[in-house]
Amino acid sequence: MKIKKMFIFAVLFAVLAAMPLWAVDKMTFSHDRKLPVYKCGEKAVLALSAWEKGKLVSSGEYKVEFLFCGKKSIKTVPVDFSKGNPVKLECTLNEPGFVLMRVRDKNNGSFQVNKKTILAGAAFEPEKIRKSYDMPADFMAFWENNRRLLEKEELKLIENKKFSTDQYIAYNISLKSFNDHVISGYLTVPRKKGKYPAFVTVPGAGPGISSPSGYAKMNVITLAVNVLNFPTADNSAEQKARYIQYAKGVAYSHRGAGNRDTYFFRNVYSAIDRMINYVASLEEFDGKHMVIDGSSQGGGSALILAGLNKNITALAANVPALCDHGGYKAGRAPGWPNLASRPDVDKFAPYFDAANFASLIKVPAFVSCGFIDTTCSPSSVYAAFNELKGEKEMYHMPLEGHTVTGGYSRAKSAFVKKHLGI
């Protein structure tokens, strides 16, 4: 009995000893300027503050790690709130890029408050970041050949009465692409005879869409397409269930990696390119306005398809994925799906790099980047943005990660409507 009590006491003591003597319920970085964009060599000054129940804490030891473009560690500095709160921090870069700051605990683990890692970001001449992959000499020949191979593949349209309204007809649209990959989604066409603009969207990574685009209600032809190789469901619960089953095993974004002819996204973009051409051929299309929009996977898709298909007249890409796959070569974090670990990455990935497609784009573009995005690093987004040849605008989100903000949504909506002519 005595031994048991001693054991319990020892365990309790160990638990208490491991607990901090302070309880931080809020920790934030603040910058020395509203938009933390600096010249190379210029100092970015930040302040790190911590609170407990609304009061600044007066104890607690942490570390702040500084990473070059979200990948390479530059330095780690100690933070001791017993010596002052807030704590002043400085960083700089002598080459174009972003610095990502991450708070770590004394044991070098990522410190979290309410399950959220504490991050900050600063940019240094991001307009000078350049993509890591050169465009392969046969880049366009590869994609033109894919287009020719799918030209005679039957595109299937079936009216979807669940989503059809008095204003428009909704269709389930599908096409069998390469490697037995069937792409599917929704097409809507206004019922009233006339000429209409067109809107195209691809969803972010995950289950995908299970209904037509809301722009269908605005007298716009809409094409909303999933990338996954299973039939699109007409409700979100079933779409999610199908996705869970499909997603087992290798991540879909890495399937077929290592070879440009077998890679997952070859099947996807070849098929959607064909669908876009079909929309452009409709007698209801006005021939002047076709906008493509998306976030993350959808944002990267917007860049890729706008570069691939000349029917697109404007694009909006929120925190776009699939950018700067070769960023690792320059010590930068590539964008999702981070193909750097895949075999022969330098042989196949350049053909699917949104930064290479961006160099072909001359239409207006509205793009966003989150300075603390660890999924689609801001450096990867800028590597693509800097290649755009037409009118372009970057929507900076210095305090945001991989997300869609209300501010971006409003600005993007205005951009899309303007370029749809509505």
Side-chain angles (χ1 to χ4, degrees), residues 153-338:
E153 192 67 42
E154 181 184 4
L155 198 154
K156 296 182 179 179
L157 288 173
I158 301 173
E159 183 178 352
N160 187 314
K161 297 192 182 219
K162 175 182 176 180
F163 292 124
S164 291
T165 70
D166 292 340
Q167 186 179 3
Y168 57 83
I169 302 174
Y171 299 93
N172 289 101
I173 186 170
S174 63
L175 179 71
K176 183 179 179 181
S177 189
F178 307 111
N179 305 302
D180 294 321
H181 191 140
V182 178
I183 295 296
S184 62
Y186 300 98
L187 171 71
T188 67
V189 181
R191 289 183 183 273
K192 186 178 179 180
K193 189 173 182 179
K195 297 293 185 179
Y196 301 95
F199 175 80
V200 181
T201 187
V202 177
I209 51 102
S210 53
S211 61
S213 165
Y215 280 97
K217 299 176 183 178
M218 300 183 190
N219 287 326
V220 174
I221 300 167
T222 71
L223 176 67
V225 194
N226 283 319
V227 304
L228 307 169
N229 189 15
F230 60 80
T232 295
D234 285 346
N235 67 80
S236 59
E238 176 60 24
Q239 183 71 11
K240 184 176 180 180
R242 294 180 186 181
Y243 172 72
I244 290 172
Q245 186 64 33
Y246 176 74
K248 292 178 180 178
V250 177
Y252 73 78
S253 57
H254 283 211
R255 293 179 185 177
N259 186 316
R260 67 181 189 177
D261 291 327
T262 61
Y263 184 46
F264 179 90
F265 282 112
R266 177 207 181 201
N267 316 325
V268 171
Y269 296 124
S270 297
I272 300 178
D273 173 64
R274 168 78 188 285
M275 290 180 177
I276 290 172
N277 285 339
Y278 175 76
V279 171
S281 73
L282 294 174
E283 63 177 358
E284 293 87 353
F285 177 52
D286 68 9
K288 298 177 182 178
H289 307 92
M290 186 182 290
V291 180
I292 187 165
D293 167 45
S295 288
S296 190
Q297 172 183 263
S301 299
L303 288 166
I304 288 171
L305 290 163
L308 185 61
N309 195 296
K310 300 310 177 187
N311 290 303
I312 301 297
T313 59
L315 74 97
N318 181 53
V319 291
L322 297 146
C323 296
D324 202 29
H325 292 312
Y328 75 95
K329 297 160 75 73
R332 305 192 299 255
W336 181 93
N338 194 1

Side-chain angles (χ1 to χ4, degrees), residues 122-139:
F124 294 84
E125 299 186 33
E127 70 281 359
K128 295 181 180 179
I129 294 172
R130 289 292 171 261
K131 64 187 177 77
S132 298
Y133 281 138
D134 291 331
M135 182 182 288
D138 63 346
F139 183 86

